[in-house]
């Protein structure tokens, strides 16, 4: 089949922007399912509802489309977490005092994220700010570190009797929910969704889940990001737009590997960032 089902779990309206961009480009041969709208109930219910929605939409899509346009590709734009990918995100609030070791660590991880974004976009590396507060004021008030998205809500400062000035940075956080995860066990329960299809993980996935999708669930192939460095969503839009343009060509004569090569030629900065794994 040449149809594509893109599934995501949006944390906010700007999250996984490449999904909407590619869907608009490809049109009726693509369907988008936002798993963030499929939860509710207890944690177990939330996971089962999301998995059930994935099964239902994949099977309905295949039944409605012509044979040549059946869903042949599952594009799972889900955050990689240990053992699998997150079907949902858990919001929270975090406070980091500065100066502190925690602030230094967060600054280091945020700078690594900014360097990766600059490299993927072809921009010069950013100047390392002297403090987390400086970075938040002059570089980025929204960033990712160690798989967690941080959005600055407020900064409070207080001067102590010794004259020391201490800042407290308050963040809204979003992290993959470990209670709502597509792992090997969950995949076994919905193996019919993966059988004979190519499964794409634009944000990466563990070796364990890849092996189970291929050997137990019968997936035709898995394409995943090889590294976990940040990639600009605009580049992902261009990359997957080209890839699925080729995949969804009317004649359907070109292989998925051909489509990957074409996408790499069109977006050379992503050459070698993705790999196709098959038995």
């Amino acid at each position: 089949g040449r149809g594509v089902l893109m599934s995501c779990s949006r944390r906010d309206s700007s999250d996984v922007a490449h999904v909407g961009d590619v869907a608009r480009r490809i049109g009726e041969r693509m369907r988008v399912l936002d798993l963030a709208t499929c939860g509710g109930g207890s944690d177990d219910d939330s996971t089962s509802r999301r998995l059930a929605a994935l099964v239902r939409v994949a099977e309905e899509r295949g039944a409605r489309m012509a044979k040549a346009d059946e869903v042949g590709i599952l594009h799972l734009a889900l955050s990689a977490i240990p053992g699998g990918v997150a079907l949902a995100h858990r919001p929270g609030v975090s406070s980091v005092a500065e100066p502190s070791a925690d602030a230094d660590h967060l600054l280091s991880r945020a700078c690594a994220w900014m360097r990766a974004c600059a490299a993927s976009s072809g921009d010069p590396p950013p100047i390392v700010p002297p403090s987390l507060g400086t970075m938040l004021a002059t570089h980025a008030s929204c960033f990712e570190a160690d798989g967690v998205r941080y959005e600055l809500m407020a900064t409070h400062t207080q001067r102590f009797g010794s004259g020391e000035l201490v800042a407290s940075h308050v963040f809204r956080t979003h992290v993959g929910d470990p209670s709502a995860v597509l792992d090997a066990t969950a995949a076994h329960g919905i193996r019919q969704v993966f059988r004979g299809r190519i499964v794409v993980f634009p944000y990466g996935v563990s070796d364990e889940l890849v092996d189970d999708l291929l050997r137990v669930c019968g997936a035709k192939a898995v394409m995943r990001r090889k590294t976990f460095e940040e990639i600009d969503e605009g580049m992902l839009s261009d990359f997957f737009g080209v890839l699925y343009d080729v995949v969804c060509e009317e004649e359907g004569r070109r292989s998925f590997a051909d489509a990957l090569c074409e996408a790499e030629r069109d977006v050379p900065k992503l050459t070698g960032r993705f790999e196709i794994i098959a038995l």
Side-chain angles (χ1 to χ4, degrees), residues 32-88:
V32 175
L33 170 65
D34 186 356
L35 294 173
T37 66
C38 303
S42 67
D43 288 342
D44 289 343
D45 286 343
S46 175
T47 301
S48 62
R49 284 170 188 260
R50 289 180 169 93
L51 293 175
L54 183 61
V55 173
R56 183 180 67 254
V57 173
E59 292 181 345
E60 287 177 356
R61 185 67 168 169
R64 285 201 309 269
M65 301 171 80
K67 182 67 176 176
D69 291 339
E70 284 182 354
V71 172
I73 299 168
L74 294 174
H75 182 102
L76 301 183
L78 304 170
S79 300
I81 60 175
V85 288
L87 298 168

Side-chain angles (χ1 to χ4, degrees), residues 114-197:
M114 289 193 297
R115 285 194 298 271
C117 288
S120 68
S121 302
D123 297 328
I127 298 174
V128 177
S131 67
L132 181 61
T134 302
M135 186 206 77
L136 294 171
T138 62
H139 288 74
S141 60
C142 180
F143 58 91
E144 295 202 14
D146 300 323
V148 180
R149 173 180 284 193
Y150 291 83
E151 300 171 21
L152 181 67
M153 297 173 64
T155 293
H156 306 285
T157 57
Q158 182 176 356
R159 188 177 298 277
F160 289 89
S162 61
E164 181 184 22
L165 191 66
V166 176
S168 176
H169 308 295
V170 182
F171 299 95
R172 178 180 293 110
T173 59
H174 301 269
V175 62
D177 188 345
S179 69
V181 59
L182 174 62
D183 57 11
T185 301
H188 296 171
I190 57 168
R191 66 186 68 187
Q192 72 272 23
V193 170
F194 305 107
R195 188 176 298 118
R197 288 170 169 154

Side-chain angles (χ1 to χ4, degrees), residues 77-259:
L78 304 170
S79 300
I81 60 175
V85 288
L87 298 168
H89 292 88
R90 180 177 292 169
V93 175
S94 174
S95 177
V96 179
E98 188 176 33
S100 70
D102 287 343
D104 293 341
H105 174 76
L106 191 57
L107 173 62
S108 172
R109 301 308 302 148
C111 286
W113 177 81
M114 289 193 297
R115 285 194 298 271
C117 288
S120 68
S121 302
D123 297 328
I127 298 174
V128 177
S131 67
L132 181 61
T134 302
M135 186 206 77
L136 294 171
T138 62
H139 288 74
S141 60
C142 180
F143 58 91
E144 295 202 14
D146 300 323
V148 180
R149 173 180 284 193
Y150 291 83
E151 300 171 21
L152 181 67
M153 297 173 64
T155 293
H156 306 285
T157 57
Q158 182 176 356
R159 188 177 298 277
F160 289 89
S162 61
E164 181 184 22
L165 191 66
V166 176
S168 176
H169 308 295
V170 182
F171 299 95
R172 178 180 293 110
T173 59
H174 301 269
V175 62
D177 188 345
S179 69
V181 59
L182 174 62
D183 57 11
T185 301
H188 296 171
I190 57 168
R191 66 186 68 187
Q192 72 272 23
V193 170
F194 305 107
R195 188 176 298 118
R197 288 170 169 154
I198 297 171
V199 189
V200 178
F201 294 96
Y203 299 124
V205 67
S206 66
D207 292 337
E208 177 189 6
L209 185 52
V210 170
D211 189 65
D212 273 80
L213 289 175
L214 293 172
R215 297 182 183 278
V216 180
C217 299
K220 183 177 181 180
V222 172
M223 175 179 164
R224 67 173 177 181
R225 187 188 297 193
K226 292 170 64 175
T227 65
F228 288 92
E229 294 141 358
E230 190 67 24
I231 298 177
D232 178 72
E233 283 288 314
M235 295 185 75
L236 289 179
S237 296
D238 295 339
F239 183 85
F240 284 107
V242 172
L243 187 143
Y244 293 137
D245 260 344
V246 175
V247 167
C248 295
E249 282 179 349
E250 186 107 12
E251 298 81 5
R253 295 173 182 167
R254 303 180 68 183
S255 69
F256 197 80
D258 289 339

Side-chain angles (χ1 to χ4, degrees), residues 25 238-239 241-243 260-271:
R25 176 170 177 166
D238 295 339
F239 183 85
V242 172
L243 187 143
L260 175 59
C261 290
E262 189 71 26
E264 290 181 332
R265 279 193 291 269
D266 202 74
V267 188
K269 292 186 186 303
L270 296 188
T271 299

